Amino acid sequence: MCANVIVAEDDAKQAELVRRYLEREGHVVTVVPDGLAALDQARHGAPDLLVLDVMMPKADGLDVIRILRAEQRELAVLMLTARATEDDLLLGLDLGADDYMTKPYSPRELMARVRTLLRRTRRDEGRDDHHMLRVGTLTVDSVRHEVAVDGVGVECTPGEFRLLSAMAAEPERVFTREQLLAELHGFDRYISTRTVDVHIMNLRKKIERAPRRPVRLLTVFGVGYKLMDPLKGTPRAQAR
């Protein structure tokens, strides 16, 4: 599975190590030393994946993610961070990172994450059947990576889109937080199911008219969440 990969890392030794492992697996690798160079390469190099250190000169990794997602660039982003607190990691995911690893990390585990992320990305891109999901006036297009409510487009981060896609594929099914966390890909032991709660909260701001009184994306207390068509009647579950 050959891919075009950018490695944005200001530590030259670490960048060289990652480059060697990636090239050993057949990937084409471009190494850049700072955030501005990462942005330039992402805009002009047609990459499949960006391996992105958070602490970098000129522009940090979080700013890079924020800008790339604002420009609606769909490359996968794997974030590398020494910031192991849950709030820092949730911020990266909320901005649009697809996965993350905390430093120090095993290069072999990094390669496993890269393989999984590329497989999932290409699997999603290859879907051309039953790609339009509808739950009432909410639509999710898995091919164009678009969400709309009442015909109006809604911008979602990659993580938000995966959760919404999973729930739209099985409306009214109750998903546990653990099941939804699995949709976000195997985050490591430093993260918790609070990740899901953050994504749900942000999705409600985007798809609900009154996020504090949701009628589409509902909490089932003690279990998890489900997606409903609000025109089908008043649900029994009450939302937080």
Side-chain angles (χ1 to χ4, degrees):
M1 185 183 296
C2 179
N4 184 359
V5 182
I6 301 171
V7 176
E9 170 65 75
D10 63 323
D11 184 322
K13 291 183 178 179
Q14 190 70 27
E16 177 64 14
L17 177 64
V18 174
R19 182 187 67 78
R20 289 181 179 180
Y21 270 85
L22 287 166
E23 289 183 344
R24 189 180 301 170
E25 297 207 357
H27 302 304
V28 177
V29 183
T30 301
V31 175
V32 295
D34 60 70
L36 292 182
L39 283 171
D40 183 68
Q41 189 64 32
R43 288 163 173 161
H44 302 104
D48 302 296
L49 171 67
L50 171 60
V51 179
L52 179 67
D53 186 27
V54 170
M55 301 296 291
M56 287 192 301
K58 298 186 179 180
D60 70 21
L62 296 178
D63 285 334
V64 171
I65 296 173
R66 184 182 293 109
I67 293 168
L68 290 176
R69 295 316 186 200
E71 295 176 352
Q72 299 185 9
R73 299 186 185 275
E74 296 298 330
L75 76 161
V77 177
L78 195 162
M79 184 173 68
L80 306 177
T81 177
R83 299 172 175 175
T85 68
E86 187 176 79
D87 286 343
D88 288 325
L89 299 174
L90 288 171
L91 176 59
L93 297 174
D94 187 41
L95 289 174
D98 296 278
D99 197 358
Y100 72 85
M101 293 189 69
T102 52
K103 295 181 176 181
Y105 55 82
S106 160
R108 292 179 63 186
E109 182 183 356
L110 176 61
M111 294 305 105
R113 296 287 189 97
V114 166
R115 287 192 295 270
T116 300
L117 190 53
L118 289 173
R119 277 198 304 268
R120 188 184 67 217
T121 301
R122 292 182 177 182
R123 180 191 65 209
D124 291 345
E125 289 175 349
R127 289 176 179 165
D128 57 5
D129 56 334
H130 307 294
H131 62 86
M132 184 67 76
L133 302 171
R134 292 183 175 85
V135 182
T137 60
L138 170 73
T139 61
V140 180
D141 188 329
S142 61
V143 171
R144 294 183 175 84
H145 208 278
E146 294 175 348
V147 175
V149 177
D150 298 323
V152 178
V154 174
E155 291 188 9
C156 294
T157 67
E160 293 165 2
F161 186 84
R162 283 197 293 277
L163 289 191
L164 198 58
S165 295
M167 300 180 80
E170 299 183 72
E172 301 187 33
R173 171 188 168 183
V174 180
F175 289 82
T176 66
R177 288 175 173 82
E178 290 75 15
Q179 288 169 332
L180 292 173
L181 189 62
E183 292 293 332
L184 295 171
H185 180 51
F187 296 120
D188 69 25
R189 63 187 181 278
Y190 295 105
I191 204 67
S192 72
T193 51
R194 186 185 166 205
T195 306
V196 172
D197 297 330
V198 171
H199 283 309
I200 293 294
M201 178 182 66
N202 290 334
L203 279 170
R204 282 176 173 160
K205 293 176 182 177
K206 297 176 179 182
I207 69 172
E208 300 279 5
R209 292 185 178 180
R212 292 183 179 275
R213 297 187 298 277
V215 295
R216 299 178 188 275
L217 191 47
L218 306 177
T219 300
V220 179
F221 286 110
V223 185
Y225 300 100
K226 65 179 178 178
L227 187 65
M228 295 285 296
D229 177 356
L231 298 180
K232 285 191 174 182
T234 304
R236 294 179 180 178
Q238 297 298 316
R240 288 194 181 104

